[in-house]
Amino acid sequence: MKIVIVEDEKPAARRLQRMLNKIGLEVNVMLHSVNEGIAWFKENTAPDLVFLDIQLSDGISFEIFEEVTINSAVIFTTAYDEYALKAFKLNSVDYLLKPIDEEELINAVTKFRENYLQNSPKIDFDAFKKILETGTKPDYKSRFTIQVGQHLKIINTEDICCFYSENKTSYLTTNTGRNYPVELSLENLENELDPENFFRINRKSIVNINCIEDIISYTNSRLEIKLKTFKEFQLIVSRERVRDFKNWIS
């Protein structure tokens, strides 16, 4: 496994390296600035895992990935506010608060090995940068405009129970049980919806936490979700998403 640490405080970087060595992992490279990171990632293949400090001495570490494409899994090391932390956790492998706790490090590495070693989560660095620059919750979609025959219907996001995909078309289901087609793909919807309220449980479905009626153990360590109004098909949390789902509802 190839591991890179991006951390401007060299004592902190060495401490993290020692902690990883202690659990049997070797750190291949330590980078200490935005410029150093850009130069290294341009000249080298992406590692399996990056421990990424947010604030570096010469800027925000996300600036590295405005210059280069990264396909690595990321564990953030940070000390940002509660909302930012939740966003980091939902869209990365994990985050670690400084000073890093050994048990939390082990849990984050275990999560990476179990869920992301073969399939790294796609990181939306632009969304994170917006959170850090504004210090506020980013603007998520508050309503959808739906074409119904010759009419346009406005549906508030808070009145939507879930989104799902069927026959290459995306649909929303309201809290009253009505289904309407939407033009956005589930991938685009993920970026438009507040991750506090909406979670993609599998390739076909995104659910609203406020609409969940029951959660039931299912075969192969999966979970079945019962929503208040959705009756089209079974909603199953895919096995690779179960851990993140449990973190989301906790």
Side-chain angles (χ1 to χ4, degrees):
M1 186 192 305
K2 189 173 183 179
I3 297 175
V4 169
I5 293 175
V6 182
E7 165 66 70
D8 64 329
E9 298 179 6
K10 292 184 180 181
R14 289 193 295 268
R15 178 176 181 269
L16 177 55
Q17 182 185 34
R18 289 193 300 271
M19 294 173 73
L20 289 165
N21 289 342
K22 187 177 178 181
I23 59 175
L25 296 176
E26 180 182 352
V27 175
N28 303 91
V29 177
M30 290 195 287
L31 307 171
H32 305 295
S33 69
V34 171
N35 289 332
E36 193 177 336
I38 291 171
W40 190 88
F41 280 103
K42 279 185 175 180
E43 297 296 326
N44 295 273
T45 56
D48 298 296
L49 179 61
V50 178
F51 286 86
L52 186 67
D53 184 22
I54 306 301
Q55 183 69 56
L56 302 177
S57 56
D58 58 344
I60 301 295
S61 59
F62 298 159
E63 295 170 18
I64 296 171
F65 308 112
E66 292 175 354
E67 301 293 329
V68 294
T69 300
I70 179 172
N71 296 313
S72 307
V74 173
I75 294 176
F76 292 105
T77 59
T78 183
Y80 279 92
D81 63 32
E82 183 181 357
Y83 182 79
L85 293 180
K86 288 181 179 178
F88 293 154
K89 197 172 188 73
L90 287 172
N91 293 280
S92 66
V93 173
D94 213 334
Y95 67 86
L96 296 169
L97 282 174
K98 296 180 180 179
I100 295 171
D101 177 80
E102 184 175 357
E103 184 176 347
E104 291 180 357
L105 174 63
I106 292 171
N107 289 339
V109 170
T110 300
K111 180 179 177 182
F112 162 71
R113 282 174 160 161
E114 290 180 350
N115 299 298
Y116 301 112
L117 188 56
Q118 302 299 327
N119 185 24
S120 299
K122 186 177 180 180
I123 309 297
D124 188 347
F125 289 104
D126 289 336
F128 287 144
K129 189 174 180 183
K130 183 177 180 181
I131 293 171
L132 299 178
E133 287 175 345
T134 62
T136 59
K137 189 174 179 177
D139 293 329
Y140 292 110
K141 204 164 180 65
S142 61
R143 68 182 69 88
F144 287 81
T145 303
I146 306 299
Q147 182 89 36
V148 182
Q150 300 298 313
H151 303 272
L152 292 176
K153 184 177 181 63
I154 298 172
I155 300 176
N156 292 326
T157 304
E158 63 190 31
D159 296 324
I160 297 172
C161 197
C162 70
F163 295 87
Y164 66 96
S165 175
E166 197 167 56
N167 298 323
K168 298 184 179 181
T169 302
S170 298
Y171 298 87
L172 66 79
T173 299
T174 67
N175 291 336
T176 58
R178 297 290 303 274
N179 298 324
Y180 299 99
V182 292
E183 295 181 358
L184 295 173
S185 68
L186 293 192
E187 286 73 19
N188 290 329
L189 283 166
E190 277 190 284
N191 296 324
E192 297 281 349
L193 297 167
D194 187 344
E196 287 282 290
N197 297 319
F198 289 90
F199 184 86
R200 188 170 183 177
I201 61 170
N202 55 40
R203 290 187 302 106
K204 293 181 59 177
S205 315
I206 298 173
V207 301
N208 184 343
I209 194 168
N210 299 303
C211 201
I212 294 176
E213 197 167 57
D214 199 6
I215 302 171
I216 307 165
S217 295
Y218 198 68
T219 58
N220 295 325
S221 302
R222 295 175 294 172
L223 298 171
E224 181 180 3
I225 308 301
K226 297 288 188 182
L227 300 182
K228 295 175 183 177
T229 60
F230 185 79
K231 308 298 180 186
E232 301 301 314
F233 50 80
Q234 274 186 303
L235 293 168
I236 307 298
V237 183
S238 61
R239 188 165 57 180
E240 62 271 15
R241 303 238 66 195
V242 166
R243 184 185 294 267
D244 287 343
F245 176 79
K246 289 179 177 178
N247 287 332
W248 177 63
I249 62 175
S250 62

